[in-house]
Amino acid sequence: QQAWGALTPRQRRSFFRRYAALIAHRADALATYVTLPQRTRAETFTSELLPLADAARYLALEGPRLLRSRWAS
């Protein structure tokens, strides 16, 4: 947590951009690992992987703005 706290908003943005790209590029492999026996791969993509990638993209886009007040003080 200390290491994350030491990152600037720009560094955090970069992390989340890479994270979202990694999820997108490795979605098929990730689905293999996280698909539960009672789910289909399509359900895993729509309920797990797409929301995760979307959240990472949101944090990459909006995170610095959301943290601006913390870093200003």
Side-chain angles (χ1 to χ4, degrees), residues 11-25 60:
Q11 291 169 317
R12 292 178 188 191
R13 171 184 278 178
S14 177
F15 169 85
F16 280 113
R17 282 183 178 159
R18 288 190 317 263
Y19 185 57
L22 181 65
I23 294 166
H25 287 98

Side-chain angles (χ1 to χ4, degrees), residues 9-59:
R10 186 177 296 216
Q11 291 169 317
R12 292 178 188 191
R13 171 184 278 178
S14 177
F15 169 85
F16 280 113
R17 282 183 178 159
R18 288 190 317 263
Y19 185 57
L22 181 65
I23 294 166
H25 287 98
R26 308 254 177 168
D28 197 48
L30 289 169
T32 299
Y33 295 113
V34 299
T35 298
L36 299 173
Q38 65 271 23
R39 277 193 186 162
T40 65
R41 289 174 68 80
E43 289 174 311
T44 298
F45 278 111
T46 58
S47 67
E48 300 286 339
L49 297 176
L50 291 176
L52 182 60
D54 190 46
R57 282 189 205 101
Y58 174 81
L59 290 170

Side-chain angles (χ1 to χ4, degrees), residues 68-73:
R68 190 173 296 139
S69 64
R70 281 184 152 186
W71 284 90
S73 52

